[in-house]
Amino acid sequence: MRFKLIVAMVEVELTDAILDAARQAGATGSTVINHARGEGLNKTHGIFGMEITAQRDMLLFLSEEHRSRHILEAISQMGEFDETPGTGIAFQLDVEDAVGVKNQIQSLTGQPDQL
């Protein structure tokens, strides 16, 4: 079985909605890293010229390859990444090898499988 790692950097307020959308699209779990920092093309300056950087959550999804694009699109749609600048980004990476995913493979296929 082949896997993809989906990484999403999202506004904290959108985390729960994006997790729900990903699960509805076929994600079987996720890891959330709180308080990541992101910067866009242009730095945002606030009062007295001090830089303002919004806190983000980093969401990680290990997904079976054939489900990954559907999950990525659901994340993007829920977060309005293409419509609203600065709401977040998401991308997927090939996973060469994975351990500790035996239960996930069994739940996806209904039987034990090899990676």
Side-chain angles (χ1 to χ4, degrees):
M1 184 169 282
R2 298 179 58 93
F3 289 95
K4 297 276 190 173
L5 175 65
I6 300 171
V7 179
M9 298 288 291
V10 304
E11 291 181 331
V12 173
E13 300 81 27
L14 295 175
T15 297
D16 290 333
I18 288 175
L19 290 172
D20 290 341
R23 185 167 298 279
Q24 290 176 8
T28 56
S30 64
T31 298
V32 178
I33 301 172
N34 300 108
H35 306 296
R37 192 184 84 176
E39 291 185 11
L41 289 174
N42 301 311
K43 291 187 177 193
T44 305
H45 294 283
I47 193 164
F48 303 120
M50 295 176 61
E51 185 178 335
I52 297 174
T53 54
Q55 294 296 313
R56 307 275 182 195
D57 284 342
M58 180 185 297
L59 314 179
L60 306 173
F61 303 90
L62 185 63
S63 170
E64 205 276 325
E65 184 175 42
H66 80 274
R67 295 174 184 227
S68 64
R69 182 63 193 183
H70 187 63
I71 295 168
L72 187 67
E73 289 173 0
I75 290 168
S76 178
Q77 184 177 10
M78 177 56 67
E80 298 181 348
F81 294 168
D82 289 328
E83 294 82 9
T84 309
T87 55
I89 64 167
F91 54 90
Q92 63 181 350
L93 304 166
D94 290 327
V95 175
E96 186 173 325
D97 202 0
V99 296
V101 293
K102 181 179 177 182
N103 289 334
Q104 184 173 3
I105 291 171
Q106 289 175 344
S107 70
L108 293 171
T109 64
Q111 59 187 356
D113 196 9
Q114 300 286 331
L115 287 178

